[in-house]
Amino acid sequence: MENSSSSMEQQQQHGEQQGAAWSSMIIIAMRMLYQKAKLVHTDLSEFNILYFEGHLYIIDVSQAVELFDDNANDFLRQDCLHVSGFLKKRGVAVMTVRELFDFIVDPSIAEESVDSYLDEVQQKIVNRGDISVVDEIAESVFLHVIRPERECQGGDEVTWYADGDKIVRNAYNPVTAYAFGTVFAYGVTSSGKTHTMHTPGREFLLRVSYLEIYNEVINDLLDPTGQNLRVREDSQGTYADRGY
């Protein structure tokens, strides 16, 4: 059929200009699904977004979850990752996964301001050019380490999401934020942990690793280049060799 609908994957030959138009349509649809329908798709990709007569239609919504689901924000991050990856493959300059996530969950963006907001973001993307290594690491941390948390206040659920590596913000009132940090002091009983931590004038150097071990493969979740690390042993003990 000449006018039959097709998936985004089947429409990939339309080029970069078409991809830029799709980009705005998709991310606005994702925001509307979250803000108005109070749903997260959970399996959003180019294979379940249909294109027909100049419009996009999201299908396979039966597995969507409501926002109070414990894993809703984790699912949303994966949806953002899939959509962002598809658009990048089509040569479209897109937000980072984290920027897309923040755009979707931010209730302070008025509906009539969405287009101007996206214009500003697009200009920011053009100005910054390629993503820096620091930004890639921050993206990896957001995807693998920082999990948006939830709490209930007066019976109403409140979502908290990451803003940087030390700040969490209230999704319904982004000006409300908390800074956080943790210091671990390890030692046997009576070894002086409390005395050491409470002694004025001391300075501490902390080195932190966050490793994933899955199917006998070790990945560094704080460094996107630290994949499939080798385990080695020296006189000081066992360690994951990053090759530098």
Side-chain angles (χ1 to χ4, degrees):
M1 290 179 58
E2 183 178 348
N3 291 325
S4 61
S5 61
S6 57
S7 72
M8 294 284 289
E9 177 66 18
Q10 293 168 321
Q11 289 285 334
Q12 61 178 303
Q13 301 300 325
H14 282 241
E16 186 174 334
Q17 185 175 4
Q18 181 68 68
W22 283 342
S23 176
S24 295
M25 295 168 69
I26 294 171
I27 63 179
I28 289 175
M30 293 173 70
R31 177 177 167 82
M32 290 179 63
L33 188 66
Y34 186 96
Q35 296 288 342
K36 294 189 174 183
K38 307 300 182 184
L39 293 174
V40 174
H41 189 282
T42 77
D43 189 30
L44 192 60
S45 72
E46 62 270 29
F47 298 103
N48 44 37
I49 303 175
L50 298 183
Y51 178 82
F52 181 65
E53 294 186 348
H55 297 281
L56 299 182
Y57 298 88
I58 296 177
I59 63 173
D60 293 341
V61 192
S62 60
Q63 78 284 344
V65 299
E66 295 180 297
L67 302 190
F68 57 75
D69 186 282
D70 288 340
N71 297 309
N73 281 339
D74 287 334
F75 286 134
L76 179 58
R77 287 195 291 187
Q78 291 305 309
D79 284 351
C80 292
L81 179 63
H82 295 156
V83 168
S84 178
F86 167 72
L87 293 171
K88 284 179 181 177
K89 287 190 295 185
R90 302 299 171 262
V92 181
V94 296
M95 303 179 189
T96 64
V97 173
R98 183 166 163 183
E99 288 171 340
L100 177 54
F101 180 96
D102 288 346
F103 167 71
I104 292 169
V105 304
D106 189 350
S108 68
I109 304 174
E111 186 172 351
E112 61 273 14
S113 302
V114 166
D115 289 340
S116 59
Y117 178 93
L118 292 178
D119 288 342
E120 292 179 6
V121 170
Q122 189 61 34
Q123 188 59 51
K124 174 183 175 182
I125 294 170
V126 171
N127 291 340
R128 76 183 172 203
D130 295 335
I131 298 295
S132 67
V133 174
V134 173
D135 288 336
E136 287 182 357
I137 293 174
E139 188 91 326
S140 180
V141 171
F142 176 70
L143 285 170
H144 298 291
V145 181
I146 301 175
R147 177 178 179 177
E149 298 295 341
R150 298 170 175 274
E151 67 176 32
C152 290
Q153 293 182 349
D156 296 325
E157 185 173 299
V158 178
T159 301
W160 297 89
Y161 64 94
D163 178 10
D165 57 355
K166 297 181 180 178
I167 301 292
V168 288
R169 293 191 183 278
N170 185 319
Y172 292 95
N173 183 13
V175 298
T176 302
Y178 290 96
F180 62 92
T182 303
V183 174
F184 295 93
Y186 177 77
V188 298
T189 303
S190 300
S191 63
K193 298 186 297 297
T194 301
H195 171 76
T196 300
M197 298 302 295
H198 284 268
T199 301
R202 287 181 177 268
E203 295 184 358
F204 300 92
L205 172 63
L206 302 180
R207 293 185 173 91
V208 179
S209 296
Y210 199 95
L211 302 178
E212 171 193 60
I213 304 176
Y214 182 71
N215 284 344
E216 300 183 359
V217 175
I218 302 177
N219 297 319
D220 187 340
L221 298 182
L222 297 180
D223 181 0
T225 65
Q227 305 298 304
N228 198 16
L229 303 177
R230 299 179 65 88
V231 177
R232 301 191 183 279
E233 187 174 6
D234 61 14
S235 59
Q236 297 183 1
T238 306
Y239 66 96
D241 184 7
R242 292 170 175 78
Y244 54 79

